[in-house]
Amino acid sequence: MVTLETFLNHLNQGLPVAAGSELQQFMTDLSNEARKITIELNTVWHDPKEICELFSQLTGTRVDDSFRLFPPFYTDCGKNIHVGKNVFINAGCQFQDQGGITIGDDTLIGHNVVLATLNHHFDPEKRGDLIPAPVTIGNKVWIGANATILPGVTIGDHSIIAAGAVVTKDVPKDVIVGGVPAKIIKHLEKPEENE
C-alpha cells in the first residue's frame, strides 16, 4: 500500500513513476485533493492568515506567518513544496511539485511563474512514465513574471531570473539570467563590495 511517506521517498530519490502503477494512482488522488484546496483558495476571498492556513493544508506542513501569496495559485500535488520565511508568491503561479520544490527565505516569485519537477520518459514505449527531479531555489532570489524553471534546476542565493526566462540548468549565486534557454546576463556585485 502506498502512503504519502513512501510516495515522497520514491519521488525524492528520483525514481520513475510507471504509467498505470499504484504510485501513479496515488499521485492522481493527491492531485484531486490539491485541486479541492486550490479551488477554495482561488475562488473565495481570504485574508493573509487564512491563505497561510490553506497553503499549510495544501503542503501538509505549517508555513511561517511571514509567507504571502496572491491567488490564484495552482499545483497538482502540494505535498512536496517547502517554503522558507518571508516568501512571496504572486498571482497565477503553477507549481508541479511531485519531484520536490524548495524555496529559500526572502524569495520573491513573480506572476505566472512555472516550477516543473516532472519529465516524461524519452522512450516512446514508456512515454507515460514520469521522471521526477527537484527544483531548489536559494535565499533572496527574485524570479520575474512568466519565467519557467525546469526539473532538476538549482538557483543560487541572491540571483535574479529575468521575466520570461526558461531556466534549463543550474544558476550560480549572485547572477542575473535571462532568455530561452536562460544564460548569465550579469554578475551581481556583492554587498561588501559596495561599502
Side-chain angles (χ1 to χ4, degrees):
M1 179 179 157
V2 179
T3 66
L4 181 59
E5 182 180 2
T6 59
F7 173 78
L8 292 177
N9 284 340
H10 184 92
L11 272 79
N12 289 339
Q13 291 177 57
L15 300 173
V17 175
S21 68
E22 190 178 1
L23 276 173
Q24 189 181 49
Q25 182 56 53
F26 189 84
M27 184 183 288
T28 300
D29 295 343
L30 283 179
S31 180
N32 290 334
E33 179 185 329
R35 286 185 292 127
K36 286 179 187 176
I37 297 168
T38 56
I39 286 170
E40 168 67 21
L41 177 67
N42 296 337
T43 59
V44 177
W45 186 89
H46 298 282
D47 66 30
K49 183 178 178 184
E50 292 168 330
I51 289 172
C52 280
E53 289 170 5
L54 283 166
F55 201 83
S56 296
Q57 182 182 350
L58 181 65
T59 63
T61 57
R62 182 78 191 139
V63 296
D64 191 79
D65 289 341
S66 62
F67 174 78
R68 292 293 176 260
L69 169 76
F70 287 177
F73 174 81
Y74 305 96
T75 183
D76 54 1
C77 181
K79 299 300 187 229
N80 215 0
I81 299 172
H82 311 278
V83 297
K85 295 181 179 178
N86 203 34
V87 168
F88 173 71
I89 300 171
N90 218 325
C93 290
Q94 300 181 52
F95 289 11
Q96 179 196 53
D97 65 287
Q98 289 89 337
I101 294 173
T102 302
I103 302 170
D105 295 342
D106 303 306
T107 287
L108 307 172
I109 298 179
H111 290 90
N112 303 316
V113 167
V114 174
L115 304 181
T117 67
L118 293 176
N119 275 316
H120 287 278
H121 205 289
F122 286 0
D123 179 348
E125 299 304 316
K126 297 181 180 179
R127 191 59 43 89
D129 292 2
L130 299 166
I131 314 297
V135 168
T136 305
I137 301 168
N139 297 319
K140 298 185 180 181
V141 170
W142 174 21
I143 301 176
N146 297 302
T148 298
I149 315 298
L150 295 182
V153 168
T154 295
I155 299 173
D157 293 347
H158 315 130
S159 286
I160 298 170
I161 310 302
V166 177
V167 184
T168 62
K169 61 184 181 179
D170 289 353
V171 174
K173 67 179 189 171
D174 299 310
V175 298
I176 300 173
V177 300
V180 180
K183 294 181 176 23
I184 295 175
I185 296 170
K186 180 179 180 179
H187 291 268
L188 297 169
E189 293 181 24
K190 293 179 178 57
E192 60 271 11
E193 293 174 358
N194 292 329
E195 294 176 3

